[in-house]
Amino acid sequence: SDSSGQSRLTALVQGSDGLVIVGDESNQSGVLGAVGGSPFVSLFEAGRSRARLQLSETGSPSFGLFDSEGRQGLAMTVDSSEAPLLTLHEQGRVRAAFGVREQTAVLNMADAQQMRLVVGVAEDGNPSISFLSEDGEIIQALPLELPR
């Protein structure tokens, strides 16, 4: 407790889950814990998580940043197939995603409702660009074969 009697360090254990809370829970605090076999570190402001680093039960890492309303703003993950993914969100919706899938670097960009542009570069160096309609249908595609 601090000089005003407020707790600045709390430890909780329930079954196999545990948490350590450091700071002022009503203002800014940090939480280190493990829930359901997944360890995490979270930073809170005014009771809302603003940043979180976590390992899944399979050991896949993820990192997230959240806006003042608690909605996802940015996410970085490496899934169980070792594929990295970075997503940018606006008001809780994915607006851009960049990752590597099946040996292809891919950038997807969306309007408020739907993915509208997909840019990719295959492992062999061949680039592609696809423009999508508001229904998600490809309306124009530019696969390019590079000279060898």
Side-chain angles (χ1 to χ4, degrees), residues 78-115:
V78 176
D79 68 18
S80 60
S81 68
E82 302 298 324
L85 180 65
L86 169 67
T87 56
L88 303 176
H89 304 248
E90 180 183 50
Q91 297 181 351
R93 291 186 300 266
V94 175
R95 293 296 309 274
F98 178 64
V100 179
R101 296 280 184 226
E102 299 174 13
Q103 291 77 46
T104 300
V106 179
L107 172 64
N108 296 320
M109 290 186 273
D111 61 18
Q113 304 299 321
Q114 175 71 38
M115 286 296 164

Side-chain angles (χ1 to χ4, degrees), residues 61-145:
S62 63
F63 175 70
L65 298 177
F66 305 88
D67 68 15
S68 61
E69 300 296 316
R71 296 175 296 214
Q72 185 98 46
L74 175 142
M76 293 188 302
T77 61
V78 176
D79 68 18
S80 60
S81 68
E82 302 298 324
L85 180 65
L86 169 67
T87 56
L88 303 176
H89 304 248
E90 180 183 50
Q91 297 181 351
R93 291 186 300 266
V94 175
R95 293 296 309 274
F98 178 64
V100 179
R101 296 280 184 226
E102 299 174 13
Q103 291 77 46
T104 300
V106 179
L107 172 64
N108 296 320
M109 290 186 273
D111 61 18
Q113 304 299 321
Q114 175 71 38
M115 286 296 164
R116 299 299 298 267
L117 177 67
V118 178
V119 178
V121 178
E123 186 176 38
D124 65 6
N126 286 319
S128 64
I129 302 173
S130 298
F131 299 89
L132 289 79
S133 71
E134 60 189 26
D135 298 322
E137 300 294 323
I138 295 175
I139 54 176
Q140 181 74 38
L142 302 170
L144 301 174
E145 285 291 324

